[in-house]
Amino acid sequence: AQSVTQLGSHVSVSEGALVLLRCNYSSSVPPYLFWYVQYPNQGLQLLLKYTSAATLVKGINGFEAEFKKSETSFHLTKPSAHMSDAAEYFCAPRGAGTALIFGKGTTLSVSS
Amino acid sequence: GAVVSQHPSWVICKSGTSVKIECRSLDFQATTMFWYRQFPKQSLMLMATSNEGSKATYEQGVEKDKFLINHASLTLSTLTVTSAHPEDSSFYICSAGGIGEKLFFGSGTQLSVL
């Protein structure tokens, strides 16, 4: 079964700083990898997804992620953090036709 | 994009009562529905997978007699929490899968059991 490890349950950055949220998947390459964001008391919003078409995936709100098979990683980055980026971020693999299996999540805090 | 409507968005009920949560795919046929539960400050945990017209498949540790899932049509799935207790208080989210591996989430239901 697919699984992910999100390193760092809490990441704090200053506004304007680089955001790096780490995600490592299990050794078997999943067909799809997703990053979702969840704002307090809200549902999920899709940031981006990897579908094997390109290893560098660009998403919404300036986020991007790079799939690195050699490192079994799919880390999420953003060059310059905004206060509005403060939220919970989830990495999730998905097999063909199966459910998303979410990582434990990383809380991103942004200070001014 | 496709829309999944989940209702109600929040519900408060007394202990021992049952609560039904609906998940509708508004503009596509959802062949598969997934139900998740999220406790405060935790991740989403898959509860069950349902295919239209079939019995749901529950994840280990999820009581099928307590969390009744019905997927009677390609646009509607329901989750009924029977004889709810305070420990069932949680955020419940559905997701609907259609053709081509697309997957869409409802906005979630916050259940509070008093």
Side-chain angles (χ1 to χ4, degrees), chain A residues 2 30-32 94-99, chain B residues 34 101:
Chain A
Q2 297 290 342
Y32 311 100
R94 184 187 183 205
T98 64
Chain B
F34 305 98
E101 298 301 325

Side-chain angles (χ1 to χ4, degrees), chain B residues 6 12 20 22 34-35 41 47 70 83 92 108 110 112:
Chain B
Q6 184 173 343
I12 301 172
K20 179 183 285 188
E22 291 190 350
F34 305 98
W35 286 94
K41 299 193 182 299
M47 298 176 67
N70 184 284
S83 186
Y92 293 86
Q110 182 64 53
S112 296

Side-chain angles (χ1 to χ4, degrees), chain A:
Chain A
Q2 297 290 342
S3 66
V4 288
T5 300
Q6 289 186 243
L7 297 175
S9 60
H10 199 151
V11 172
S12 296
V13 299
S14 299
E15 195 172 20
L18 171 71
V19 174
L20 171 60
L21 305 182
R22 300 177 185 275
C23 172
N24 288 89
Y25 59 88
S26 60
S27 58
S28 58
V29 178
Y32 311 100
L33 275 164
F34 298 79
W35 273 101
Y36 281 87
V37 60
Q38 185 179 34
Y39 297 100
N41 302 312
Q42 294 188 29
L44 296 171
Q45 183 178 8
L46 177 65
L47 278 176
L48 50 81
K49 65 178 178 182
Y50 165 76
T51 60
S52 76
T55 55
L56 182 61
V57 183
K58 295 187 182 298
I60 62 171
N61 301 338
F63 284 95
E64 64 180 38
E66 186 172 8
F67 175 79
K68 291 187 177 181
K69 186 176 180 180
S70 61
E71 299 177 7
T72 63
S73 69
F74 190 56
H75 301 332
L76 181 71
T77 61
K78 181 174 180 177
S80 177
H82 292 173
M83 296 293 287
S84 60
D85 294 328
E88 189 78 13
Y89 290 81
F90 295 100
C91 179
R94 184 187 183 205
T98 64
L100 283 169
I101 304 301
F102 289 88
K104 292 186 181 295
T106 298
T107 302
L108 175 65
S109 299
V110 183
S111 58
S112 57

Side-chain angles (χ1 to χ4, degrees), chain B residues 22-99:
Chain B
E22 291 190 350
C23 183
R24 293 181 183 272
S25 56
L26 299 183
D27 53 1
F28 70 101
Q29 293 184 327
T31 53
T32 308
M33 290 276 199
F34 305 98
W35 286 94
Y36 294 84
R37 178 170 56 184
Q38 183 181 32
F39 292 109
K41 299 193 182 299
Q42 293 188 27
S43 186
L44 288 83
M45 299 301 296
L46 179 66
M47 298 176 67
T49 301
S50 71
N51 293 296
E52 184 264 338
S54 303
K55 288 185 177 180
T57 302
Y58 291 81
E59 296 298 303
Q60 190 173 7
V62 178
E63 300 175 59
K64 62 180 181 180
D65 294 331
K66 182 170 187 61
F67 299 99
L68 301 180
I69 292 173
N70 184 284
H71 192 173
S73 77
L74 286 171
T75 59
L76 174 65
S77 177
T78 60
L79 167 66
T80 301
V81 183
T82 62
S83 186
H85 291 286
E87 58 265 31
D88 299 323
S89 298
S90 185
F91 191 59
Y92 293 86
I93 306 177
C94 68
S95 69
I99 297 174

